[in-house]
């Protein structure tokens, strides 16, 4: 854990928007202030690894017994004023994991409200599409998270965290959304549990996701537009939460942020992988050989992967958004082109410029437009346990249309990135390989974008 003096640093726009380049720091900028907005005074030292305000952790501390740390990734890079709030949240999270009443209530909500379990669907025509001239190829299964209430995996986590917020006595929920799926899920969970709800969303995303905006409002949420995209909406949601710590709750849908936020999201999404293991055993009497999921911040990928991390014979593949191409500068391929730094309260891989500032990511799948990934995903890359690839906008759109026409299933553009990688993956696989692709959401929201592409 890394804590900052509340007198030295306040949780303002600089704190939220700045990042730490690591491990290399340019000598010219190592002691220069990192300022992203002009109204913040340039009197505070840069948040670099040479900053005396940052406690230096030795290797032993980094690798052992630090909650929320995944190797060097994760942690709590926040002011002291937030530590007590996060500590209370962590204690409540640890409590509900072993609270039979909470777990029973959550299981009932997932079954009767969310509609779990979701099918593990054998994509027969898609499988045939990838067979070679000898009629051989992998068998492709789809984990149908698109069939959840709200149309995505986001509700798994939203309902659980809303229950925690109510246990903590919070009356107001704040959240940020990009593609709108987390916004809809949070609004629905808040309506169910009688909680006030405010959703922050980038103005550019509002134009693309008008149908989801309407749903949020119908569910009783207040929708607050923010200049920019999802990363800017996230910053505004955090600022709103910090201003009302005693009464509000920041319900994150992404596996990022200070501990325990990433671990909570992963835990509540891990139902995806647990069901997949059981369903695979029922269908063919074994485990999947290979799991594929899109990567934005990592919530749906970790939901599928986590159950199988210790099964070294199961390959884990994440697919990032290459946008217009990795060399175009218009992409969201954090793991392919990012560096290690701190953003929104945790250390992970980030997209950064030469001065350590965060550029605007791009993807046709709005839910992938985040400039970082979660600490656990970063650790999977660092250790080599998972492999990561990319798909362009065009490849994702082609995959979207392909699944529509071959299987009658409309996938979200985010999940279509995972489907797109099958073009390169399937020819390399032995006959009969069992491949599971996570369809993290449905694509009704993206139909107009695809039709105009």
């Amino acid at each position: 854990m890394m804590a900052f003096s509340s007198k030295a640093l306040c949780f303002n726009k600089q704190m939220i928007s700045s990042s730490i380049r690591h491990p290399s720091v340019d000598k010219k900028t190592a002691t220069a202030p990192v300022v992203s907005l002009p109204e913040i005074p340039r009197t505070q030292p840069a948040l670099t690894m040479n900053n005396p305000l940052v406690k230096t952790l030795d290797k032993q501390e980094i690798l052992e017994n630090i909650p929320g740390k995944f190797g060097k990734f994760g942690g709590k890079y926040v002011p002291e004023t937030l530590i007590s709030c996060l500590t209370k949240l962590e204690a409540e999270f640890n409590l509900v994991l072993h609270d039979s009443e909470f777990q029973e209530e959550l299981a009932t909500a997932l079954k009767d409200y969310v509609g779990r379990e979701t099918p593990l669907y054998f994509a027969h025509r898609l499988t045939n599409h990838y067979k070679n001239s000898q009629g051989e190829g992998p068998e492709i299964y789809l984990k149908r998270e698109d069939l959840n209430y709200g149309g995505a995996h986001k509700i798994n986590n939203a309902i659980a965290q809303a229950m925690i917020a109510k246990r903590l006595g919070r009356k107001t929920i704040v959240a940020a959304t990009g593609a709108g799926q987390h916004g809809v899920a949070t609004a629905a969970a808040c309506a169910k549990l009688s909680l006030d709800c405010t959703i922050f969303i980038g103005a550019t995303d509002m134009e693309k996701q008008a149908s989801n905006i309407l749903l949020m409002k119908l569910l009783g949420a207040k929708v607050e537009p923010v200049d920019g995209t999802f990363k800017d909406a996230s910053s505004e949601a955090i600022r709103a939460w910090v201003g009302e710590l005693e009464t509000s709750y920041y319900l994150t849908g992404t596996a990022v942020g200070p501990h325990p936020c990433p671990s909570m999201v992963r835990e509540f999404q891990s139902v995806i992988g647990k069901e997949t293991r059981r369903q695979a055993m029922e269908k063919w009497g074994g485990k999947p050989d290979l799991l594929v999921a899109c990567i934005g911040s990592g919530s749906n990928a970790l939901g599928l992967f986590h159950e199988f991390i210790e099964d070294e014979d199961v390959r884990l593949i994440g697919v990032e958004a290459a946008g217009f191409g990795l060399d175009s500068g218009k992409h969201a391929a954090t793991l392919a082109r990012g560096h290690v730094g701190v953003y929104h309260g945790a250390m992970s891989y980030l997209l950064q410029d030469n001065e350590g500032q965060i550029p605007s990511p791009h993807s046709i799948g709005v839910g992938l437009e985040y400039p970082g990934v979660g600490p656990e995903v970063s650790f999977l890359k660092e250790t080599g346990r998972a492999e990561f690839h990319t798909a362009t906008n065009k490849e994702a759109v082609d995959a979207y249309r392909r699944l529509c026409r071959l299987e009658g299933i409309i996938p979200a553009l985010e999940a279509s990135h995972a489907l797109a990688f099958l073009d390169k993956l399937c020819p390399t696989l032995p006959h009969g390989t069992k491949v599971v692709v996570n369809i993290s959401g449905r694509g009704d929201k993206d139909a107009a974008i695809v039709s105009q592409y």
Side-chain angles (χ1 to χ4, degrees):
M1 179 180 75
M2 296 192 180
F4 299 88
S5 167
S6 58
K7 294 181 179 179
L9 290 176
C10 61
F11 203 75
N12 55 23
K13 294 181 180 180
Q14 176 178 345
M15 179 65 193
I16 293 171
S17 300
S18 299
S19 66
I20 300 175
R21 284 296 291 265
H22 176 79
S24 61
V25 179
D26 189 338
K27 293 181 180 179
K28 295 181 180 179
T29 61
T31 58
V34 180
V35 180
S36 58
L37 295 174
E39 66 266 32
I40 304 301
R42 299 176 67 91
T43 58
Q44 301 176 19
L47 298 179
T48 69
M49 299 308 291
N50 296 324
N51 188 338
L53 293 175
V54 178
K55 175 187 174 186
T56 300
L57 301 182
D58 60 33
K59 186 175 181 180
Q60 185 80 4
E61 287 182 293
I62 289 175
L63 296 178
E64 296 182 5
N65 301 321
I66 301 180
K69 294 289 287 187
F70 303 90
K72 66 188 177 189
F73 303 105
K76 295 179 184 176
Y77 290 75
V78 298
E80 283 183 1
T81 51
L82 283 183
I83 293 298
S84 61
C85 180
L86 291 171
T87 300
K88 185 175 182 180
L89 177 59
E90 181 181 0
E92 190 67 25
F93 172 53
N94 290 333
L95 180 63
V96 302
L97 291 178
H98 306 286
D99 185 324
S100 59
E101 183 178 345
F102 178 92
Q103 292 297 328
E104 182 177 347
E105 182 182 350
L106 177 58
T108 299
L110 291 175
K111 179 177 181 293
D112 296 340
Y113 185 71
V114 175
R116 302 205 71 90
E117 62 183 37
T118 61
L120 184 62
Y121 170 79
F122 177 55
H124 180 77
R125 293 192 67 204
L126 190 64
T127 293
N128 287 340
H129 174 79
Y130 286 109
K131 286 183 178 178
N132 60 25
S133 57
Q134 287 75 44
E136 298 179 339
E139 297 179 8
I140 301 169
Y141 292 80
L142 308 179
K143 184 56 175 164
R144 297 291 308 278
E145 292 300 292
D146 57 305
L147 295 180
N148 284 326
Y149 171 60
H153 71 294
K154 294 294 187 179
I155 191 67
N156 303 326
N157 165 71
I159 193 70
Q161 284 206 53
M163 288 167 56
I164 289 177
K166 193 152 189 176
R167 282 171 61 110
L168 290 170
R170 301 298 189 259
K171 305 295 185 183
T172 302
I173 301 296
V174 295
T177 192
Q181 298 301 95
H182 178 60
V184 172
T186 301
C190 288
K192 182 180 187 301
L193 296 175
S194 189
L195 296 166
D196 293 333
C197 180
T198 300
I199 306 294
F200 292 86
I201 183 169
T204 58
D205 296 336
M206 287 188 72
E207 297 175 7
K208 300 175 185 176
Q209 306 299 334
S211 61
N212 278 336
I213 298 298
L214 176 61
L215 292 177
M216 290 178 228
K217 291 179 178 179
L218 287 171
L219 290 164
K222 180 181 180 182
V223 179
E224 290 283 357
V226 176
D227 288 341
T229 59
F230 176 55
K231 73 180 182 69
D232 306 293
S234 296
S235 295
E236 287 300 325
I238 293 172
R239 277 191 274 270
W241 168 57
V242 170
E244 302 288 344
L245 285 177
E246 297 302 317
T247 58
S248 67
Y249 181 97
Y250 176 53
L251 202 161
T252 177
T254 58
V256 299
H259 180 66
C261 297
S263 295
M264 291 174 65
V265 173
R266 180 257 293 150
E267 178 64 30
F268 296 134
Q269 292 295 357
S270 66
V271 64
I272 301 171
K274 291 172 183 175
E275 285 183 5
T276 298
R277 182 186 289 276
R278 183 171 63 252
Q279 292 167 327
M281 185 60 65
E282 292 171 353
K283 286 182 176 295
W284 64 79
K287 296 176 291 188
D289 297 304
L290 203 153
L291 306 175
V292 187
C294 65
I295 294 282
S297 69
S299 64
N300 92 92
L302 286 175
L304 180 63
F305 293 170
H306 188 70
E307 173 69 14
F308 298 92
I309 285 176
E310 295 184 4
D311 295 285
E312 295 184 359
D313 54 341
V314 178
R315 287 176 65 188
L316 311 178
I317 294 181
V319 184
E320 294 188 291
F324 292 112
L326 294 180
D327 296 328
S328 69
K330 298 291 186 180
H331 62 77
T334 304
L335 295 167
R337 290 297 175 90
H339 304 276
V340 178
V342 168
Y343 188 60
H344 286 164
M347 180 174 284
S348 66
Y349 276 93
L350 306 170
L351 293 177
Q352 303 175 64
D353 62 22
N354 291 333
E355 296 180 352
Q357 296 300 303
I358 307 299
S360 294
H362 165 76
S363 172
I364 196 169
V366 175
L368 304 183
E369 284 188 324
Y370 187 75
V373 294
E376 192 166 352
V377 174
S378 298
F379 185 68
L380 292 177
K381 169 185 168 65
E382 191 96 336
T383 59
R385 175 61 187 94
E387 53 193 275
F388 299 94
H389 303 272
T390 63
T392 64
N393 288 346
K394 183 181 185 307
E395 289 169 336
V397 169
D398 289 346
Y400 179 106
R401 290 172 170 154
R402 184 181 305 120
L403 194 68
C404 287
R405 294 168 183 174
L406 290 180
E407 295 292 347
I409 295 172
I410 306 172
L413 274 171
E414 292 78 18
S416 297
H417 286 72
L419 291 164
F421 188 65
L422 294 176
D423 277 4
K424 299 172 184 175
L425 177 67
C426 289
T428 71
L429 299 176
H431 178 64
T433 299
K434 304 294 192 298
V435 178
V436 173
V437 182
N438 197 18
I439 306 301
S440 56
R442 70 179 187 225
D444 314 44
K445 64 184 181 63
D446 301 316
I449 296 173
V450 172
S451 66
Q452 295 169 11
Y453 190 83

